[in-house]
Amino acid sequence: MTPNNIINMSVIKGLNVIAITDHNSIDNCRACIRVGEKNGILVIPAMELQTKEEIHLLCLFKNLSMLENFHEIILGKLGTQENLPDFFGRQLIFDEQDCIVGENHRLLITSAAITLEEAVEKISNLGGIAVPAHINKGAYSIITNLGFIPEHLPINTIELTKKTDIQSFQTKHPNLKNYNIIQDSDAHYLWEISEREHYLEVGELAIDEIFSVLSQNNNTVR
């Protein structure tokens, strides 16, 4: 899962846009963005945050500076326990030539000391978009852990796992019909990166256009 391997696989799969959403980390976003620029792939600066409630939240931003500001907040919310490489694997940091330039030794798999409400507020204040991740999973899901999506939060888009039948899901959860739905690969390995199975219809291939779609409750499901 090096930057060039991720981008090249995305090219092979015919993708236009991806987001790098490492768990509680942004260490490899910059390199992936640069490689993406060279290969015609738009890379959205992002992170997957695990909140205090053990909810996974996709944190999408328009530029790297916004993401870095958010990451600075999250760094102060993470524990100091060190990673266990023999159990969880090494947390390597790459440059745009796929050379290893560092390693994150902090244990990233745990929850940050920030609530869902606090996280969504900070993401929104920084101009980002918060998307509850894989909400139909049996773990680390806003629906499983809370039972509902708080209506007062600025959340307009939700993520379902890629094999989910959307109509069946909406029949089971009629209260969630007004949310935009995205289905992506949530790939942890290169071979899990999806082909062009799902899409968002936008006026042009630009982050502003994508954010405009994701920030509205327009019942658009792709």
Side-chain angles (χ1 to χ4, degrees):
M1 295 290 276
T2 66
N4 281 275
N5 283 340
I6 292 171
I7 297 301
N8 287 331
M9 182 62 79
S10 299
V11 171
I12 291 170
K13 294 299 181 77
L15 304 181
N16 301 114
V17 183
I18 65 172
I20 302 299
T21 54
D22 286 338
H23 195 91
N24 291 339
S25 173
I26 66 168
D27 289 334
N28 286 298
C29 273
R30 182 182 296 275
C32 286
I33 290 170
R34 288 176 175 172
V35 177
E37 289 171 348
K38 297 175 183 177
N39 290 275
I41 298 289
L42 178 61
V43 180
I44 298 175
M47 178 176 73
E48 183 179 46
L49 173 68
Q50 183 170 311
T51 70
K52 186 181 288 186
E53 303 92 343
E54 294 194 343
I55 292 169
H56 285 185
L57 188 69
L58 302 180
C59 314
L60 310 177
F61 292 90
K62 290 185 178 181
N63 59 56
L64 193 58
S65 178
M66 292 178 179
L67 174 63
E68 289 173 339
N69 288 338
F70 179 68
H71 187 237
E72 282 299 314
I73 296 171
I74 298 306
L75 280 177
K77 307 291 185 179
L78 295 176
T80 57
Q81 185 177 352
E82 289 197 1
N83 182 39
L84 304 171
D86 291 339
F87 191 78
F88 296 116
R90 296 176 66 190
Q91 299 170 160
L92 301 176
I93 304 169
F94 295 90
D95 65 13
E96 57 192 290
Q97 282 77 43
D98 286 356
C99 295
I100 298 172
V101 295
E103 184 170 357
N104 193 325
H105 296 286
R106 190 195 299 253
L107 184 66
L108 296 174
I109 201 170
T110 58
S111 295
I114 186 171
T115 66
L116 172 70
E117 184 159 351
E118 291 169 338
V120 172
E121 179 183 7
K122 293 185 183 302
I123 292 166
S124 181
N125 288 343
L126 288 168
I129 289 179
V131 179
H134 43 68
I135 71 167
N136 55 322
K137 275 190 172 182
Y140 303 111
S141 153
I142 192 171
I143 297 300
T144 298
N145 290 18
L146 289 188
F148 65 101
I149 299 176
E151 293 185 0
H152 67 282
L153 294 182
I155 293 174
N156 299 290
T157 300
I158 54 179
E159 181 201 48
L160 300 180
T161 56
K162 63 181 179 180
K163 299 298 184 181
T164 304
D165 181 273
I166 293 176
Q167 287 188 337
S168 297
F169 176 83
Q170 290 181 324
T171 299
K172 184 178 180 180
H173 301 279
N175 58 313
L176 300 179
K177 284 188 176 180
N178 289 329
Y179 288 91
N180 291 315
I181 292 176
I182 57 173
Q183 288 180 283
D184 46 49
S185 56
D186 191 12
H188 291 71
Y189 302 94
L190 287 175
W191 56 85
E192 292 180 343
I193 295 177
S194 296
E195 298 187 15
R196 301 180 69 162
E197 302 171 44
H198 309 286
Y199 67 94
L200 292 173
E201 191 167 331
V202 295
E204 61 176 318
L205 189 60
I207 288 184
D208 284 342
E209 287 283 325
I210 294 168
F211 270 53
S212 177
V213 171
L214 297 181
S215 62
Q216 300 176 26
N217 283 98
N218 59 10
N219 258 336
T220 301
V221 177
R222 302 297 187 196

